[in-house]
Every structure is written in structure tokens, then in C-alpha cells.
Amino acid sequence: MADPAKFRVGLLGHGTVGGAFAELLPRHADRIARITGLRPELSAVLTRSRGSFQDVLDGSDLIVELIGGLEPAREYLLAAMRAGKHVVTANKQLLSHHGEELWEEARVHGVQLRFEGAVAGVVPVIRVLQESLAGATIDRVHGIVNGTTNFILTEMARTGETFADALTAAQRLGYAEADPTEDVNGKDAAAKMAIIARLAFETPVHIDQVRYEGIEHIRPDDLEYARDLGLGLKLIGTAERVGDDGLSVTVYPAFLYPGHPLASVNGPFNAVTVESEAITEITMSGPGAGGPQTATAVLGDVISAMIPPASTPPATASLRIVSDVVSSFYLYLEVADEPGVLARVAHVLAEHHVSVKSVVQKGLEDQARLVMVLHPVLESKFFAAIEEIAALDAMRAPPRAIRVLEEEFG
Ligand SMILES: NC(=O)c1ccc[n+]([C@@H]2O[C@H](COP(=O)([O-])OP(=O)(O)OC[C@H]3O[C@@H](n4cnc5c(N)ncnc54)[C@H](OP(=O)(O)O)[C@@H]3O)[C@@H](O)[C@H]2O)c1
């Protein structure tokens, strides 16, 4: 087969996200070539100290803008689209100020302007609003769209420390910029909510039309009070239909009841819930920022812009289907209440390399219940052990096993 044609990607900005993107692209080039028939390669890079915009423009089929800020990012994107190039950006400030101008330019020149990385890092909010939910009338969107503030509020609630101390911890761990002003005062979240509202309600929203408040004034006793009431405090962006023809877009700290889908979103994670009569409610969550994470969203946009994917992409990965996997289990046994039963069960488990994480033993007349949580083990070993345990004289009922999901995120 002939080598796939090259697809030249020009990169503006080589910082946290741009640098991660430049590493990611070559690692995925072969796979993308198999999917799209075109082999992407980084053709030119522009930073403050190297490259020229004109060279990047002339030598590229698509431009990725990861400079940030309003100018010259706006000017570069407009020039790229006027030259008939698709563009991908993660620049929420730019889109929340000049989105209409940029989207209009994309329409006029028949090019794609994609921006999944601008709103909630790698959480695919833009695609879901633009494509999956295009058929739904959306009533309300709530979002935790700033990971820095969510991390700070989570830490304040967890440790009882002040805003200032939690911010220092966030900076130490890389969850806050050296200058965190726009994160903590709500402006970053306001920019993202302006973009989300624009898509959800098909109404132009400028960042100046978003009312926002930050978390700088939150005190540890606010969080203590909230905990006593069973509430959690989050910085929540809301875009909602008001009456027949109104739209409100806000960012405020808000208490949430534990049942709310955003209540359990902790640490630097982002999440967005979309409400509509047709779909009730959908929640998407995941890492909201970070170089490699955002670069993944940017690369997804590049692939989408390169070629419309076939309805079913070719099966190029040829992975082996695996049926025996590692799982954790909860095991419930009803056994005769006699000495040595636990030891016999433990012996069988050990013979099959199944180890016990925790165990509770309770007497019940002449029977006893053994409830165990087991460490992750290959399922075939676990079920071999269970078969042997089921055959023990001391068993009074068949063993009951339920898988335990051990993953914790955030
Ligand atoms: N960081 C994240 O986690 C994250 C998440 C979501 C979205 N974003 C968005 O992604 C974009 C990039 O963010 P980042 O964190 O990667 O920024 P960054 O680390 O500050 O990198 C910015 C890059 O742009 C270059 N640059 C800045 N001004 C320029 C100019 N006038 N001309 C040419 N190059 C210029 C810088 O050049 P030098 O190398 O010469 O300084 C640097 O390479 C922003 O729009 C940001 O909002 C970031």
C-alpha cells in the first residue's frame, strides 16, 4: 500500500499544553494514519523566541493555537481561517471575548474551528452539546469548570485550613498557576460558562454578560457549617433558560446536597451536568486541566478536523479479547459456628493466591457469617477457590460473591 499522504500541523505556542501536544502527536501518528489515511506531522512551531507566524501558516494544513490570551491569538486564528486552514484552540478567554467573530469567519471560509480543550480539559462537553444533544432543548447546565477552585474547596473541607493555606497547597502540587487570580476570582470559570451557554442555548454570550464571584472570601467555618448540614461547597457555573426568552449565566460558590451529581466531584476534577426534559440529566466528569490531558482533547479535535471519521472506524488495533481479568471481590459465607472454619476458608483462599483485605465474623445461632473483602486477584483463581470453599463440610449455603470496584479518582 502507498504511504499515506502527509497532513501538516502548525503549532502556535509550546508551553504546558503546546509542549504536551508536540509529544503526543508523533506518538499517535501511525494510528491516525490508519484511521484517516493521512499521516499528521508537526510542520512548524511558533513561540515568543522562535519561528515566524507566516512560515507556520504557509507550511501547514491545520493550525493549533496554544498561545493563550487575546492578541495575537485572535489575529493568528483569523489569518489562518482566511487562508482556508482548519484551526484548533484551547483558548477560553479568546472565545468568550471574540467567539462570534471567529465562528463567523469559520463559516464564511468553510473551515473548522474546534475548541474542545477550551472548556473542561479533556471532558468532552463541546462535542456532547454540539452533536450528541443537538436534538434536545436544554433547560439548564451546571458546571464545576475550574479545577483549581474545586481542589482548594475540597482541601478546605477536608483539612479545615484557610483559603490562603489551601491555595498554597494547590500551587505546590501544580493545581494552581503562579498567578491564580482568574481561577480564584471566578473569571476563568465565567469564560468557560460563556462558551458552554453559547452552545447550549445558541445565543451569543460575551464574558462581560456572565455574573461571577470567586471563592477568596470563603472561610473554614462556612465549610464546617456545610458539613454539619450534610452539604458540600463548590464553585458552580450555571447557564439556564429563564422564562420564555431569557438566559442567565452565572458563577457562584454554592452548597450542594449529597444527592446532586456534582456533590461528589472532588479535587482538581471538572464536571458538567446538562438538564433537558427529553434527557432528564446527563453528567460528564474528568480531569479539567493539565498539559497532557488538554493536549489529548486538542489532538482529538485535530483528528476530527483532518477527515470526517467513517461511521464505523476500521478495526486497526487488533487487541486480544480477554475474559480472565483481575477483580476485587466481596465474599459472603454462611458456615457452621465451629472452631477452625475461618482458618480452613483462609487456607483454601491462600492456596489459590487470594488474599484477604478485611473480614467480619458474626455468630447467628448455630451458624456464623463470614464477610470478607478480598484483594484484587485473577478471576479464574478466585472462582477456583470459591468452588473448593463451596465443597467444605462447614458450608451452610452456597458462597455469594460480588465484585468491588476499587478505583477512586481525584
Ligand atoms: N495549562 C492548562 O492546563 C490548560 C488547560 C486548558 C486550556 N488551556 C489553554 O491552553 C492555552 C495554552 O496554555 P498553556 O498553559 O500551555 O500556556 P503556557 O504554558 O504559558 O504556554 C504559552 C506558549 O505560547 C507562547 N506564546 C505566548 N505569547 C506568544 C506570542 N505573542 N507569540 C508567540 N508565542 C507566544 C509561549 O512562548 P514562550 O515559550 O517563548 O514563552 C509558550 O510557548 C491557553 O489558551 C490556556 O487557556 C490550558
Side-chain angles (χ1 to χ4, degrees):
M1 211 168 83
D3 283 346
K6 283 182 187 162
F7 186 87
R8 300 161 307 161
V9 178
L11 178 61
L12 311 177
H14 197 270
T16 306
V17 185
F21 177 79
E23 276 184 23
L24 198 62
L25 183 70
R27 276 200 269 136
H28 289 269
D30 287 342
R31 187 176 59 86
I32 297 169
R34 287 196 296 271
I35 296 169
T36 65
L38 297 169
R39 191 168 212 291
E41 62 171 37
L42 206 58
S43 48
V45 178
L46 174 75
T47 68
R48 274 181 284 229
S49 55
R50 67 170 154 138
S52 94
F53 174 66
Q54 199 55 47
D55 289 347
V56 177
L57 184 62
D58 294 344
S60 309
D61 301 305
L62 176 150
I63 302 287
V64 172
E65 184 276 307
L66 296 168
I67 289 175
L70 300 184
E71 295 292 356
R74 170 181 158 276
E75 183 197 321
Y76 288 163
L77 285 185
L78 288 172
M81 290 191 284
R82 285 174 189 150
K85 318 263 163 137
H86 298 311
V87 293
V88 174
T89 179
N91 191 333
K92 60 233 149 196
Q93 290 301 346
L94 180 60
L95 292 172
S96 63
H97 279 86
H98 299 294
E100 296 313 314
E101 180 189 24
L102 292 161
W103 287 309
E104 180 57 21
E105 206 68 31
R107 268 191 297 276
V108 167
H109 295 280
V111 294
Q112 294 191 41
L113 162 57
R114 304 194 74 106
F115 48 96
E116 190 70 74
V119 166
V122 77
V123 187
V125 179
I126 303 297
R127 263 187 193 68
V128 169
L129 288 175
Q130 282 187 318
E131 296 173 23
S132 320
L133 296 183
T137 302
I138 293 169
D139 299 316
R140 187 182 295 118
V141 182
H142 281 310
I144 294 176
V145 290
N146 182 275
T148 306
T149 44
N150 205 50
F151 175 83
I152 291 172
L153 291 175
T154 305
E155 279 305 285
M156 287 175 73
R158 192 178 67 84
T159 63
E161 65 191 357
T162 62
F163 167 75
D165 288 344
L167 172 58
T168 307
Q171 285 171 318
R172 197 179 53 244
L173 292 166
Y175 295 134
E177 306 278 332
D179 178 3
T181 314
E182 294 200 354
D183 288 318
V184 299
N185 72 10
K187 191 172 180 191
D188 175 87
K192 293 167 179 168
M193 289 311 297
I195 299 168
I196 287 177
R198 166 66 174 85
L199 300 178
F201 298 97
E202 293 149 16
T203 301
V205 182
H206 190 279
I207 186 168
D208 292 346
Q209 296 169 303
V210 181
R211 287 169 291 139
Y212 66 88
E213 191 182 295
I215 62 163
E216 312 96 314
H217 61 285
I218 301 293
R219 296 186 328 217
D221 49 0
D222 293 323
L223 288 146
E224 205 181 304
Y225 177 63
R227 199 175 39 238
D228 289 349
L229 292 170
L231 300 170
L233 186 64
K234 306 284 178 193
L235 184 68
I236 300 287
T238 303
E240 61 186 337
R241 208 177 277 283
V242 182
D244 286 341
D245 59 356
L247 172 63
S248 156
V249 191
T250 58
V251 173
Y252 292 133
F255 288 115
L256 295 180
Y257 282 98
H260 192 282
L262 298 182
S264 56
V265 178
N266 289 320
F269 272 41
N270 278 198
V272 173
T273 66
V274 182
E275 295 171 38
S276 155
E277 212 175 291
I279 57 160
T280 311
E281 180 264 313
I282 285 176
T283 302
M284 297 157 268
S285 70
Q293 293 83 350
T294 310
T296 304
V298 171
L299 184 57
D301 274 350
V302 170
I303 297 168
S304 297
M306 281 172 72
I307 198 161
S311 54
T312 305
T316 53
S318 66
L319 297 178
R320 186 172 54 88
I321 305 295
V322 178
S323 53
D324 196 10
V325 293
V326 171
S327 297
S328 301
F329 286 90
Y330 154 102
L331 178 61
Y332 180 99
L333 303 175
E334 283 179 29
V335 295
D337 194 8
E338 57 192 37
V341 176
L342 178 58
R344 263 176 280 157
V345 169
H347 178 73
V348 176
L349 291 171
E351 273 193 329
H352 291 276
H353 307 284
V354 182
S355 66
V356 178
K357 186 172 179 178
S358 57
V359 58
V360 180
Q361 184 169 12
K362 279 196 177 151
L364 191 74
E365 294 173 1
D366 63 336
Q367 284 184 200
R369 279 177 297 180
L370 291 177
V371 179
M372 306 180 177
V373 176
L374 305 169
H375 282 295
V377 62
L378 207 55
E379 290 196 353
S380 55
K381 289 188 177 164
F382 174 77
F383 287 114
I386 292 307
E387 218 178 299
E388 247 180 73
I389 288 171
L392 293 176
D393 286 345
M395 294 305 296
R396 292 292 172 264
R400 285 173 46 215
I402 298 173
R403 286 171 182 77
V404 177
L405 293 187
E406 291 213 314
E407 292 112 324
E408 290 184 64
F409 302 98

